[in-house]
């Protein structure tokens, strides 16, 4: 047909993606529209037809689409598996790109023709969607699941504590509340499954409880100490329960513990998997070497930031996190009633605050972020102000180091 061309003819395929369907347009240099916009539904049959059409059109084909939510994934992956060059681009770049067409598209979104034109204009700078991008995508999906699961664990933990207030009050404070075993379980949670009522402990002689507690420690993988055992027994004797020591009370506590531990198990699996995926990315060692980035926060940080090269500057990354200097703060004047900006990614902000908290706790005078926050603190700044400032500083350092690392890896 008249459409087919030499194999080296530059051919840009613009895809405007939405939920379950896409609009596709094909252009060549010199304002030549090979195929005006047409609809493709996201199903195997339509993808097959699209791939056939593209083979028929021929030329040196590059496919460009916007990075919106997850909608772009089915069509991008289908086309990539068919062997085409697929580039997934930040929507803002396309939106800002003016292609001088007189057609004023009413919607805010760029249409397929404009996306194709963007591809022609920035042909040599288009980055191909890669295995590394796929790893990042998976890491981000897992990080979000981890965050949701974490929220569930907090709710279940509080539920268990309020039940224990009726059977064995404050036992969670007596056994170091942060002590966990290899499976990621907490000692006090496992303890109350076996000793679910103060009478389970107080009703025994000292020697009988010590023996029972020792057996339990060995079975559950916790350290045993006779001092602990005596402390728990004395505590149980002095505390008061409002629920009777009955089968029905036991069912409540045991069920609450089992659901909580099931969630802790999933968190442990997700943590391992996030760490494994993050370690496949080129910047892993650079990020993990930064003070404050731990085995959980490091991978989460990498998940939420993604490829730093998608940010034009370090300030663009800071704005994305929403930790940039808030408005109404010029010189000596400072507005009193102002909260951190609500724009930006709340997920990234949460991770950053966990990191700056660690930096504060370590209080290492050699650390640039700590000394910066400490200086703000000594100036009498509010806690939130120096936390936000510290988070922004951390991101600027992150941007510089990781960008250098990725450019060297290329």
């Amino acid at each position: 047909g008249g459409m087919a061309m030499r194999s080296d003819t530059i051919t840009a395929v613009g895809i405007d993606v939405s939920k379950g369907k896409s609009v596709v347009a094909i252009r060549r240099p010199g304002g030549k529209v090979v195929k005006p916009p047409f609809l493709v539904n996201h199903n195997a049959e339509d993808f097959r037809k699209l791939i056939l059409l593209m083979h028929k059109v021929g030329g040196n084909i590059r496919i460009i689409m916007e990075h919106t939510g997850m909608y772009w994934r089915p069509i991008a992956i289908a086309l990539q598996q068919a062997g085409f060059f697929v580039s997934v681009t930040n929507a803002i770049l396309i939106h800002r790109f003016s292609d001088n067409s007189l057609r004023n598209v009413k919607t805010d979104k760029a249409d397929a023709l404009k996306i194709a034109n963007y591809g022609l204009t920035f042909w040599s700078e288009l980055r191909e969607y890669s295995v590394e991008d796929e790893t990042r995508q998976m890491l981000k999906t897992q990080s979000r699941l981890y965050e949701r699961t974490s929220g569930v664990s907090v709710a279940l933990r509080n539920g268990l504590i309020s039940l224990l207030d009726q059977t064995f009050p404050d036992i969670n404070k007596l056994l170091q509340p942060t002590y966990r075993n290899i499976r990621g379980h907490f000692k006090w949670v496992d303890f109350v499954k076996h000793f679910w009522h103060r009478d389970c402990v107080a009703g025994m002689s000292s020697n009988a409880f010590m023996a029972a507690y020792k057996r339990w420690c060995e079975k559950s993988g916790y350290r045993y100490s006779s001092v602990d055992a005596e402390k728990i027994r004395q505590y149980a004797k002095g505390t008061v329960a409002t629920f009777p020591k009955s089968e029905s009370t036991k069912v409540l506590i045991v069920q609450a513990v089992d659901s909580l531990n099931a969630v802790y198990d999933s968190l442990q699996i997700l943590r391992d998997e996030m760490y494994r995926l993050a370690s496949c990315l080129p910047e892993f060692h650079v990020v993990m070497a930064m003070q404050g980035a731990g085995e959980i926060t490091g991978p989460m940080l990498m998940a939420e930031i993604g490829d730093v090269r998608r940010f034009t500057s370090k300030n663009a990354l800071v704005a994305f996190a929403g930790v940039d200097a808030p408005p109404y703060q010029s010189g000596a004047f400072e507005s009193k009633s102002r909260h951190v900006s609500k724009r930006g990614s709340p997920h990234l902000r949460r991770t950053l605050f966990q990191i700056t908290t660690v930096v504060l706790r370590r209080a290492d005078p050699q650390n640039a972020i700590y000394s910066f926050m400490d200086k703000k603190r000594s100036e009498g700044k509010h806690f939130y102000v120096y936390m936000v400032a510290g988070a922004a500083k951390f991101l600027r350092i992150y941007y510089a180091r990781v960008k250098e690392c990725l450019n060297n890896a290329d």
Side-chain angles (χ1 to χ4, degrees):
M3 275 197 315
M5 294 285 275
R6 297 206 322 278
S7 64
D8 58 352
T9 308
I10 287 183
T11 308
V13 178
I15 303 185
D16 188 14
V17 186
S18 60
K19 188 173 183 177
K21 59 179 194 291
S22 290
V23 176
V24 180
I26 307 178
R27 309 182 74 145
R28 290 201 168 114
K32 195 157 177 293
V33 176
V34 182
K35 282 288 275 182
F38 59 96
L39 186 74
V40 174
N41 286 305
H42 292 186
N43 58 50
E45 180 55 22
D46 273 24
F47 287 162
R48 198 181 58 79
K49 287 183 185 155
L50 177 63
I51 289 163
L52 282 173
L53 172 78
M54 304 235 285
H55 283 307
K56 202 171 121 195
V57 167
N60 174 6
I61 293 179
R62 289 192 172 182
I63 297 157
I64 305 94
M65 60 187 76
E66 293 179 321
H67 195 298
T68 38
M70 287 293 209
Y71 301 151
W72 55 275
R73 286 180 60 77
I75 194 162
I77 284 159
L79 291 170
Q80 188 164 42
Q81 283 169 353
F84 289 105
F85 179 115
V86 177
S87 180
V88 187
T89 309
N90 189 328
I92 295 172
L93 295 177
I94 294 179
H95 178 62
R96 287 203 192 125
F97 162 68
S98 157
D99 62 351
N100 292 330
S101 68
L102 293 173
R103 292 164 45 257
N104 181 10
V105 185
K106 279 193 299 294
T107 56
D108 177 44
K109 272 174 57 212
D111 64 344
L113 280 168
K114 178 172 172 179
I115 297 173
N117 213 6
Y118 174 89
L120 290 176
T121 310
F122 297 103
W123 185 262
S124 54
E125 283 132 73
L126 295 176
R127 262 190 66 230
E128 188 166 10
Y129 186 74
S130 66
V131 179
E132 183 189 306
D133 298 312
E134 193 54 19
T135 303
R136 290 185 191 286
Q137 187 67 59
M138 187 54 82
L139 182 59
K140 182 173 177 186
T141 309
Q142 290 192 341
S143 174
R144 294 289 168 93
L145 176 60
Y146 184 84
E147 212 177 36
R148 287 198 299 275
T149 311
S150 222
V152 174
S153 78
V154 171
L156 288 174
R157 179 177 170 276
N158 293 342
L160 173 61
I161 290 173
S162 69
L163 281 174
L164 289 172
D165 283 344
Q166 315 294 323
T167 68
F168 206 148
D170 285 340
I171 181 66
N172 54 303
K173 296 194 185 124
L174 188 68
L175 291 160
Q176 308 105 309
T178 54
Y179 183 62
R180 334 167 72 133
N181 66 3
I182 43 259
R183 291 176 56 202
H185 288 194
F186 289 89
K187 184 172 184 177
W188 70 267
V189 177
D190 284 344
F191 176 84
V192 298
K193 180 176 177 176
H194 197 76
F195 304 96
W196 47 273
H197 196 284
R198 70 172 283 286
D199 296 353
C200 298
V201 176
M204 284 175 151
S205 73
S206 178
N207 288 342
F209 175 67
M210 280 200 175
Y213 179 64
K214 188 173 186 183
R215 266 200 317 276
W216 173 82
C217 281
E218 284 161 2
K219 199 178 99 229
S220 311
Y222 292 107
R223 267 201 320 271
Y224 167 76
S225 103
S226 53
V227 178
D228 272 358
E230 192 45 44
K231 199 171 76 178
I232 293 168
R233 191 169 162 275
Q234 287 306 325
Y235 179 79
K237 288 174 75 168
T239 186
V240 178
T242 56
F243 280 175
K245 180 174 181 264
S246 66
E247 200 47 46
S248 150
T249 303
K250 180 180 180 177
V251 166
L252 276 177
I253 304 283
V254 168
Q255 289 312 314
V257 168
D258 284 347
S259 351
L260 179 55
N261 273 338
V263 175
Y264 284 145
D265 288 342
S266 346
L267 286 173
Q268 181 74 24
I269 292 167
L270 284 169
R271 269 198 294 275
D272 292 346
E273 184 55 17
M274 280 165 61
Y275 189 83
R276 188 189 69 76
L277 278 178
S279 67
C280 299
L281 293 169
E283 72 267 34
F284 178 70
H285 295 293
V286 172
V287 175
M288 296 306 282
M290 292 183 72
Q291 196 181 89
E295 296 201 337
I296 308 171
T297 47
M300 286 188 91
L301 189 66
M302 291 166 64
E304 290 304 333
I305 292 173
D307 188 331
V308 289
R309 287 169 300 190
R310 67 198 181 102
F311 299 102
T312 44
S313 69
K314 55 181 192 261
N315 293 339
L317 173 58
V318 171
F320 170 72
V323 288
D324 36 2
Y328 315 128
Q329 241 179 358
S330 60
F333 170 73
E334 239 183 74
S335 128
K336 282 285 166 279
S337 64
R338 257 217 28 279
H339 302 287
V340 69
S341 67
K342 284 290 185 287
R343 64 164 191 217
S345 162
H347 308 278
L348 176 53
R349 235 187 341 262
R350 196 168 303 139
T351 307
L352 282 169
F353 286 167
Q354 286 171 332
I355 289 173
T356 44
T357 306
V358 172
V359 171
L360 270 183
R361 211 180 297 134
R362 285 209 192 144
D364 168 12
Q366 299 300 304
N367 180 277
I369 297 155
Y370 174 72
S371 43
F372 178 70
M373 286 164 79
D374 195 43
K375 180 172 158 287
K376 295 255 180 213
R377 183 165 56 181
S378 64
E379 289 166 7
K381 295 274 197 241
H382 188 272
F383 168 73
Y384 218 42
V385 171
Y386 62 76
M387 282 292 271
V388 168
K393 188 162 185 71
F394 181 90
L395 278 182
R396 291 194 181 95
I397 297 173
Y398 181 99
Y399 183 84
R401 289 188 191 168
V402 174
K403 189 167 182 174
E404 183 189 13
C405 162
L406 290 177
N407 289 338
N408 290 344
D410 278 2

